[in-house]
Amino acid sequence: MEDNPKKLGIRRITRDFPPAHFLFKVEAFSLLAKTGVEKYESDAFEASGYKWRLSLYPNGDNKSNGNGFISLYLVIEETENLPLTWEVNVSFRLFVLDQIRDKYLTIEDGDGAVKRFHWMKTEWGFAQLISLDSFNDTCNGYLVGDCCIFGAEVFPLARNCKWECLSMVKQPEDNTIILKMDHFSKLDRKYYESSVHTIGDSKWKLTVYPKGNVKFKGKALSVFLELLEANKLPPKRKVYAEYKLRVRNQMNDNHMEFSVERWFSATSVNWGYPQFMTLKVLHDPSKGYIVCDSLIVEAEINLVSQVKRLS
């Protein structure tokens, strides 16, 4: 009695030569089945640079519709030694030896599909490898003298896949850039810059024009946040930031601030307000923005995108 391969989506053929990687012999198979063990796992074997084992269900894997069949699976092992994003794509075959004719029943997917092993899927195989009726029929040669032999061969496909992980990081660490400008009334340069801060995986700085920039020169304070090294970004790469630009009120908490949502790129490296606040308001002593001839400007980044590339 032989299973219908078309019905099960499984291709079964016989061949003369043994499997390339592993043979697993079970003596006194009937006694193993009577122990009530759900599955028995072989020792690990190596094939093409990875460790594997066979997982045998002598009474069938009932959870996967294997009742009335021998179930056999290929399991990848020692994955803790593989890279974080490990993935192994393989073509594999499982075997049962016909001990009368010295031929191997070869079982594989009917469409020859490549199977993808990864951290969420560490085993593949066949819940309906071979029916127990066919297996126990001595004429078929699979169980002779209460002994049977299973096998496996595994052929990984070369993989050169790269991962990119985009994360939107809320409230990143050290997310505030502070530029304190002492002796503000004596500052004579066109603009001043903060030190460079790494927030997310990008470098940022504040740029402040004390007397305004471009058409607001002499009229307003201009404040900008700038993404550094944007020219080193891969083509089309963008960096998103949600941030607040703020001039601190040093007398109370009534700060002057504006919120910004912006995608930065190699062609758009800074964004802010050329007319952040009028110079009249800025220099009004009653407002509390300049105290002891000192001005404090901040950029607080509350959400930023970052990209990791993984092998």
Side-chain angles (χ1 to χ4, degrees), residues 192-224:
Y192 292 83
E193 298 175 329
S194 71
S195 59
V196 176
H197 286 242
T198 299
I199 302 174
D201 60 357
S202 301
K203 295 180 180 180
W204 306 87
K205 70 177 181 182
L206 257 177
T207 303
V208 176
Y209 294 76
K211 295 180 175 60
N213 184 32
V214 195
K215 66 180 182 178
F216 294 102
K217 187 173 181 179
K219 299 178 181 178
L221 180 78
S222 302
V223 182
F224 300 90

Side-chain angles (χ1 to χ4, degrees), residues 253-307:
D253 292 332
N254 189 24
H255 311 305
M256 177 71 76
E257 67 178 30
F258 296 95
S259 297
V260 184
E261 300 175 2
R262 184 70 179 176
W263 284 99
F264 292 80
S265 67
T267 58
S268 182
V269 299
N270 59 33
W271 191 260
Y273 292 89
Q275 190 180 15
F276 189 86
M277 61 194 306
T278 66
L279 295 181
K280 180 179 179 180
V281 171
L282 175 66
H283 288 279
D284 186 339
S286 67
K287 302 297 184 182
Y289 299 120
I290 299 175
V291 174
C292 297
D293 205 20
S294 178
L295 178 73
I296 301 173
V297 184
E298 298 177 347
E300 179 185 335
I301 300 179
N302 296 311
L303 180 66
V304 65
S305 66
Q306 66 180 38
V307 173

